[in-house]
Amino acid sequence: MNRLKCISNIHKVSLLLSLLIVIWLVVFSCDITGLSGKATGEIGSRATSGIPNIDRLTGVNWFGFETGNYVVHGLWARDYKSMLRQMKDLGFNCVRIPWCNEMLNKMPQSIQVNAWGTDPYTNEQGLNVELAGLSSLEVLDKIIEEAGNLGLRIILDNHSRAADGYMQETLWYTNDCSEDRWIADWLDMVERYRDCPQVVAVDINNEPHGGLLGLGMKPPASWGYDVPGYDITDWRKAAIRCAKAILAVNPDIIIVMQGVQEYDVYNYWWGSNHMGLRDHPVTDIPSDHLMLSVHEYGPEVAPQDWFQDPDFPNNLPGVWRQYFWFIYEEQIAGLYIGEMGIKESSAGDPSSIPYKWFTTFLEFAGNKVHWTYWSWNANSGDTGGILKDDWVSVNPVKYNLIKPYLAGATPTPTPTATATSSPTPTPTPTPTPTPIGIDAYSKIEAEAYSAQSGIQTESCSEGTLNVGWIENNDWIRFDAVDFGTGGVTGFQARVASATGGGDIEIRLGSTGGTLLGTCTVTGTGGWQNWVTRTCSVSNTTGTKTLYLVFKGGSEALLNINWFIFTKGITPTPTPTPTSTPTPTPTPSFSPSPSPPPTPTPTSTSVTPCSNPVSASIPFAQDGAGEFCWTFSTAPNYINSWNLAELTINGIDFTNKWAAGSNLPVKINGLYYVHYRGNFQWSHFEAK
């Protein structure tokens, strides 16, 4: 594997000046070491003893190289340089990039290369033109090079051996990837980027896990010993072997070493239990080259006993000290929170358990240690992303929680983005609500909410996004809506429904707060058949917190694109409901490295697709065209993106992840899959 030449002309000048300074010191000083002083914290700087002396890293995870795409996600909608520029503008200084060993000899999927397209963030013409024809590894080269140009640091994370394999892989080796190959691949990567000072650390294995307690996965990763009956399981010894080999190639790199899930009778998050350090410390790796890492999550990822403690959240610091925080307090090594995250609905709800956990953790650790938020991607099933589903708008409730804990200066304001026509149209991003208030009498995009419960966003036929997948008791909240001196009499909403519709309750203060009015939405004949409904509301004044609360039956109710308050407009009569078919709403695009179960769609009448071809699991299809396949066995999961249509036994699964257990009932013992894609980056997989 060739070495990437990352040193720019600026770096070369800097290195030349440094060399001249060293020569001057040699000539005019008898003791250079006595003049070393404290490291400046610039990229690559490090003390010679103690914990790594590097400026605090506060960044994001940008995943995809570890998936079947073999490339970071989102490049179907954005230019890679624009993505990195936006990270920099938001104040992040580091990017953790997961990768898998399988990706090293692959070509990337789902990159839009378009010389005429315009990036929606920078408004610059040309999308990923430099990536045309490159392998996955060569695309990674380009990302690392541009990160260096922007002053962003990179942490490379070996997330799994096989693509999408991290859930099943408890250890650092598999039947298809031995420990020797795992180390050899790391040595190739470290050698390749040895001249790239922006690559500051390597996370050598993501989330070693498994255990003997309860339903722990087997074989279990252990710390300080091999578990009898499971061959080699001692992650500590393997990590040291790998770290020594890496440091022999690049003595300046920082080793990131995660823990395990289970030690003795104590169970914690995957890779985040460091209690074994007390009995089996890491003494073979210099502490100034070592960061020990944990992944910290709330109950949205998995329920844990400590979230139910009567003393919650005051009990949490004791939990953290037990499992990992002693590393920081005793200065054993650097401490790095490799992953942490929260869903948008919880981030906007201060009464929720996830919100209390997350804000408590940020107050406890956010300004003290290195961290990278999970994730930048819009399509994380665990937590969602910093980016919204349009892959350019920033999620304000999440970003505002972590922003005070960013290292460095206040981020540059985000440029206004405008979507333009391209092979994969990107919705126009909506502006982030600001504390000065939202004008109630100007059109308010529904997806510009401050918080939500139950809903999802999706591409809208009228441009931008709409709020969809609305069911009974779901809601969206808008902070600081300014009604001025009053006079409001009406409420208009742009809505659509393929069912019988439902009611929109317009409330102030809370989901059960003052009711200004109720707007009834009836069926419009389709989820993208938009009409404007007008209804009467009571007058109000001043700046208020607005809730739209949705009420109706047990099925999906309606979609909403935008709304506006009016003065002196007579409401339109509610049309008589008409009988319409009940298709499943078009889902939002959300493939994920760790997705949650998807509810089983219901079906009334199913017509299998025509001329089906028999296929077997695992299966994948990319590109434009229309196909029909049958499968006799259920996959573990299905996933798709950038498709015009994907149905299974007549049920819509377009651009959606779903567990195999949630697929509809077989027809004549078969699953009939109808695929229709318009782009070369359209994709479906069943594994």
Side-chain angles (χ1 to χ4, degrees), residues 458-480:
E458 60 188 9
S459 297
C460 179
S461 62
E462 296 188 324
T464 71
L465 303 177
N466 65 259
V467 168
W469 289 80
I470 297 171
E471 297 179 349
N472 186 43
N473 291 323
D474 290 349
W475 54 264
I476 50 180
R477 188 187 83 206
F478 299 83
D479 294 337

Side-chain angles (χ1 to χ4, degrees), residues 179-191 194 202 204 237-253 255 257 284-286:
E179 177 181 308
D180 287 344
R181 179 189 162 188
W182 168 64
I183 294 177
D185 286 348
W186 258 128
L187 298 185
D188 284 344
M189 293 286 275
V190 171
E191 172 65 22
R194 194 172 71 181
V202 289
I204 56 177
K237 287 184 178 179
I240 291 172
R241 287 192 292 269
C242 183
K244 283 183 172 181
I246 288 172
L247 290 172
V249 173
N250 184 356
D252 293 325
I253 204 77
I255 302 296
M257 188 182 298
D284 303 71
I285 307 301

